[in-house]
Amino acid sequence: MCGIVGVIAPDASRRAFEGLKSLEYRGYDSWGVCVPAAKGGQFDLERHVGRIANALVSVGEGSEIALGHTRWATHGNVSERNCHPHLSNDGSVAIVHNGIVENFVQLKEKLSKKGFRFNSDTDSEVIANLIQHHIACGFVEAVRLSLLEIEGSYAIAALHGGEEKIVCARNGSPLVIGAAKGGEYYVASDATAFLQHTKNAVFLLDHQMAVCGKGLLEVRSVESGRRVRFRQKRLSWSIEQVRKGSFDHFMIKEISEQPSSIAAAVNQPRKELARFVSILSGARNIVLLGCGSSYHSCIAGSYFFSSVAGINARAILASEFPSFAKFYGKGSVVVAVSQSGETADLLEAVKAAGGENGAKVISIVNVMDSSLMRASDCTLLMNAGPEICVLSTKSYTSQLAILLLLAYSLAGDEWGGKQIIREAADAAKSILDSSRGAMQALAKKLADSNSLFVIGRSDAFPVSLEAALKIKEVSYIHAEGFAGAELKHGTIALVEQGTPAIVLSTQKTRSLTTSNAIEMKSRGAFIIGVDSQPNDAYDININVPELGSANPLMLIIPIQLLSYYLAIERGCDPDKPRNLAKAVTVK
Ligand code: F1P
């Protein structure tokens, strides 16, 4: 997963280092920076295990060119020798890589026979040595020839000693180039790494490479080596959106932004929305695909489509789609949901459904120009702004808002959909204001819990899954979400004196969820009701307004706050939970 940066600008190593800090969400087990050495066509390298956090880069003062990398280990354990940048054997080539070189064993064998030695356990190191192997053809051509030998996915940036240029390329992993005044160039996995220097961006396509020098940018086809035209785009994200501002963490900042991000989700271009509706109305069958929180949005979407539009759509985990792909061919519609638009399992499923099977692919994505957006027939953007915290919070409610808007539009009531989502945005503000203190107090009470259960019925069932995921991924307390009726089919055996149980209840489901709450309470559970009404079955009632079909957007907000405060109480970093990365670009 990993994040990469390359900088051609004054004070390059510090800028690369700053850029890496905003890419840490892509991986944060180790990091490194390199700059050209004073002489000899070699490089000065700085690499560390652990997070960048408050570290300082020490190499490269005054350097005008630098590479940086933040790692989420795939091949090779977390150790300094496996940190990027990697150097070639003679030290003349430096590379940073995000992705997986699938044929690295064969390439390693081939290079070993030619006398190359390897200093790390990574797949990436072969790239540096391949480039050195081909260097007699010139740096740019050597990179191209090396890429032609690589099977797998990559976003790479490379330097060659003595040359003031960065050669970068992408295939399956994101890469964007920022062009700033004064001929400065930035290469990064994500534009947040250079947003403070420029909003002008060139998004490389798969199988494209670029040569960036002072005041020079060329884009070429990896296959032919020929120059190709490219378009510069103006980014709409602002620098304030990628800074914490007065907040302690991105997680609480992004939770607090939901009144505006939910409202922004309804601002969809009329033409695109109409296209979505026409594709969905003409579908033989519909499948919603996603991973993690986005999968939970898909399940919620299937409830919205059923209850609001009377349409049957199935939600399937993208990674499990291969078992069902045969049912979704020509005439079917795949709705792919993803914050990053880079999740490998989802891209794979979309490729199979859209390409080989002939289904139409439409997507709901937050990151503009992401791989998913490119692989889709059309896309609705979430307009949530950058989400930096590894956990999905505002992107989850934006996905719900768009799926709800689609359901209303399919029912011929786009106006009604927009209206209820705007009400939800206002209500989100009042929930945030009213429940913050209560959630902080509840987090203190629950901080030592070993296990916690969440139940919901109907459209609150997918919210129970998302609520449990939020709690466990950020506080490391075991949490399980399930449909209220399932309780008696097994899980109730785990309820004992003091077990916390969150009951998500709405007008539609209240009578049955109350019975489930009482069943748990009579076995000693401590019941936390999230409901618009008080109830004797609840030990604590978290009040959320009743908003009919928009209830799922309401029910999750207090739980996001609770998860955040649980992480704080337990001394966990809410923005970077252990072992997780925001963009899961490996299968
Ligand atoms: C899917 C996802 C997120 C989760 C985490 C890992 O990402 O499971 O829901 O919060 O960041 O990835 P995406 O496809 O929505 O980008």
Side-chain angles (χ1 to χ4, degrees), residues 291-294 337-341 343 390-392 399 581-582 584:
C291 301
S293 298
S294 296
V337 182
S338 172
Q339 189 285 132
S340 62
T343 303
V390 165
L391 283 82
S392 305
Q399 290 168 353
K582 188 153 190 70
V584 185

Side-chain angles (χ1 to χ4, degrees), residues 3-9 12 15-16 19-20 23 34 64-69 96 157-159 166 168 175-178 184-189 193-194 212:
I4 68 170
V5 288
V7 177
I8 297 192
R15 292 185 190 203
L20 285 183
L23 293 181
C34 83
E64 299 217 336
I65 189 160
L67 294 183
H69 188 275
V96 285
L159 295 177
I166 296 174
C168 59
L175 195 68
V176 53
I177 298 167
E184 295 177 0
Y185 285 103
Y186 300 85
V187 171
S189 301
F194 56 71
C212 311

Side-chain angles (χ1 to χ4, degrees), residues 187-401:
V187 171
S189 301
D190 162 347
T192 54
F194 56 71
L195 210 50
Q196 59 177 308
H197 306 295
T198 180
K199 285 188 175 188
N200 297 327
V202 175
F203 292 87
L204 282 195
L205 302 178
D206 278 345
H207 310 292
Q208 283 188 340
M209 58 193 289
V211 183
C212 311
K214 252 189 230 162
L216 164 95
L217 174 62
E218 283 175 12
V219 178
R220 293 173 182 269
S221 147
V222 171
E223 206 187 326
S224 67
R226 277 200 283 278
R227 284 178 68 170
V228 294
R229 283 165 181 264
F230 60 88
R231 263 183 60 208
Q232 192 168 291
K233 293 190 177 168
R234 186 86 185 144
L235 299 167
S236 59
W237 291 357
S238 73
I239 185 67
E240 287 68 39
Q241 288 177 303
V242 295
R243 290 195 171 139
K244 276 189 274 201
S246 57
F247 291 92
D248 290 336
H249 299 96
F250 281 108
M251 182 175 175
I252 190 69
K253 177 177 185 256
E254 289 159 7
I255 291 173
S256 308
E257 281 170 359
Q258 288 176 110
S260 58
S261 56
I262 293 172
V266 299
N267 298 332
Q268 297 299 335
R270 290 200 75 87
K271 230 172 98 189
E272 282 311 284
L273 187 57
R275 222 172 135 202
F276 258 65
V277 171
S278 130
I279 292 175
L280 286 167
S281 336
R284 182 161 59 86
N285 54 5
I286 301 172
V287 61
L288 297 142
L289 298 181
C291 301
S293 298
S294 296
Y295 169 61
H296 296 156
S297 300
C298 291
I299 310 178
S302 68
Y303 279 87
F304 295 155
F305 279 29
S306 166
S307 62
V308 179
I311 289 176
N312 183 33
R314 186 170 172 200
I316 300 183
L317 276 168
S319 54
E320 293 300 318
F321 184 64
S323 303
F324 304 97
K326 59 183 178 226
F327 301 119
Y328 299 95
K330 216 168 162 34
S332 302
V333 176
V334 171
V335 185
V337 182
S338 172
Q339 189 285 132
S340 62
E342 301 295 343
T343 303
D345 286 325
L346 184 58
L347 292 174
E348 184 82 3
V350 157
K351 208 163 90 190
E356 296 142 31
N357 280 17
K360 273 246 178 296
V361 176
I362 60 180
S363 58
I364 298 171
V365 181
N366 195 35
V367 179
M368 195 171 84
D369 263 297
S370 52
S371 303
L372 178 58
M373 196 168 164
R374 290 189 190 151
S376 310
D377 294 290
C378 54
T379 299
L380 292 180
L381 285 168
M382 293 179 204
N383 306 326
E387 190 176 64
I388 311 286
C389 172
V390 165
L391 283 82
S392 305
T393 53
K394 63 175 179 174
S395 69
Y396 171 72
T397 47
S398 297
Q399 290 168 353
L400 294 188

Side-chain angles (χ1 to χ4, degrees), residues 16 20 22 55 76 109 115 144 193 222 246-247 260 290 330-331 336 421 466 515 533 535:
L20 285 183
S22 62
E109 264 170 32
R144 191 181 79 82
V222 171
S246 57
F247 291 92
S260 58
K330 216 168 162 34
I421 293 163
E466 175 62 9
S515 307
Q533 284 187 13
N535 190 321

Side-chain angles (χ1 to χ4, degrees), residues 114-127:
K114 295 185 188 297
F116 281 88
R117 289 190 192 294
F118 289 84
N119 301 310
S120 78
D121 313 308
T122 67
D123 53 331
S124 310
E125 193 186 357
V126 292
I127 305 173

